[in-house]
Amino acid sequence: MVEEVFSIELPVGERLVIKKNRVMGREPSSKRLAIVTGIHGDEFEGQYICYEVARRIEEEKDQLKGTVDIYPALNPLGLDIADRKIPKLNMDMNRMFPGKRNGTTMERVAAAIVDDISGADMCLDVHASDIFVKEIPQVRVSEEFADQLLPYARLLNTDMVWTNASATVHESTLTHSMNMLGVPSMVVEMGVGTRIDRGYGKQVVEGIFHLMKKMEMWDGAIGEIQYPAISTDGEVEFIRSRITGVFLPAIEHNHYVRKGDNLGKIVDPLEGKILEEIRAEKSGLVFTLREYPFVREGCLLARILTGIGEE
């Protein structure tokens, strides 16, 4: 059942509408899972996940116990033109929560979303990366809530769970706001901006049904899942460029590298010179890899999960 979460007239004569699909099974008031995506308008991985979750539930509706709320487009203006931020305002919607009921238009939108999700038993906020780097499927949780969330994060069929130090977590994100309000919430991230990787999507969707089984919301069959590597900020090595040029990777995404391995090079296309050789400073799994070739000093090239052995 499609419902309006929030609606308001815009100065340009159009209407901003936030919608959700409420899928109710047996005993709809027993448990509620909220799946949200589209906070950033250049991230489309969540669109496929929303589609697949809704499709699979509809095929076996009698197996659902409780309610699944699906919010595919929290920033519909951004999604319309693949703009990461809110168009014209140049503001990141994921820095506006929990919002204000009597604030600006977008603060009111954020407050309405928070009010609508409040009371859920779990919230998954699905993201892709931006257009610059590609991410393997992962769950991100704040260490402040890790004890509560890790048993659920392990079930989402991702390659890793990244536990972030509380000091690095933005308090104005949706997931932090919902956690503070008592709704267990996690970020799921995968892929690269403006694209859909169906393989990643199906992988995470299988995890979502495992999560629903754990929450006693799904009685249907579920497939096999993998269990993720668990990391902390201290186990992640950031590789950044030291110079401006074009990055040519020498490795594959989602592969193990050893200390000293060649990760790629930054070249000068004008003079045909190699400006910088990029080598791994520690051994581990490459879970983030630069997709956008042009780089400047300080640009992220890769992230390596250290402290794990090669499988």
Side-chain angles (χ1 to χ4, degrees), residues 24 60 100 109 142 153 167 169 196 211 241 250 260 262 272 291 306:
M24 295 185 291
E60 300 181 85
K100 296 179 182 178
V109 171
S142 166
V169 174
I196 291 177
L211 174 66
S241 63
N262 178 28
E291 281 276 315
T306 65

Side-chain angles (χ1 to χ4, degrees), residues 98-257:
K100 296 179 182 178
R101 293 188 181 92
N102 298 316
T104 64
T105 296
M106 296 312 300
E107 287 174 334
R108 292 167 63 190
V109 171
I113 292 168
V114 168
D115 287 345
D116 204 74
I117 298 173
S118 292
D121 296 280
M122 180 69 65
C123 176
L124 299 180
D125 181 12
V126 182
H127 287 258
S129 184
D130 54 30
I131 65 171
F132 298 102
V133 296
K134 185 176 183 179
E135 303 278 2
I136 64 174
Q138 60 197 260
V139 182
R140 296 184 181 183
V141 299
S142 166
E143 65 179 7
E144 182 178 356
F145 305 103
D147 289 344
Q148 177 188 16
L149 295 173
L150 277 176
Y152 298 100
R154 294 175 187 270
L155 299 174
L156 285 170
N157 201 27
T158 58
D159 295 284
M160 64 175 287
V161 176
W162 188 357
T163 303
N164 296 123
S166 297
T168 67
V169 174
H170 291 280
E171 295 183 356
S172 52
T173 61
L174 175 63
T175 52
H176 182 82
S177 296
M178 298 317 304
N179 276 313
M180 293 298 292
L181 291 171
V183 178
S185 302
M186 299 178 283
V187 171
V188 181
E189 184 152 348
M190 76 205 81
V192 65
T194 72
R195 305 181 199 174
I196 291 177
D197 187 314
R198 295 190 188 186
Y200 284 171
K202 290 178 180 178
Q203 178 180 337
V204 171
V205 167
E206 193 60 55
I208 289 173
F209 279 88
H210 272 261
L211 174 66
M212 290 167 60
K213 178 78 81 172
K214 173 73 172 179
M215 296 173 65
E216 299 181 345
M217 294 181 62
W218 185 251
D219 295 331
I222 52 177
E224 296 293 324
I225 62 169
Q226 63 183 353
Y227 291 97
I230 308 294
S231 77
T232 66
D233 275 339
E235 295 169 333
V236 173
E237 180 76 11
F238 289 73
I239 308 295
R240 298 187 182 275
S241 63
R242 300 187 182 92
I243 198 166
T244 296
V246 174
F247 176 57
L248 303 177
I251 54 172
E252 296 291 334
H253 188 242
N254 199 13
H255 277 67
Y256 189 91
V257 296

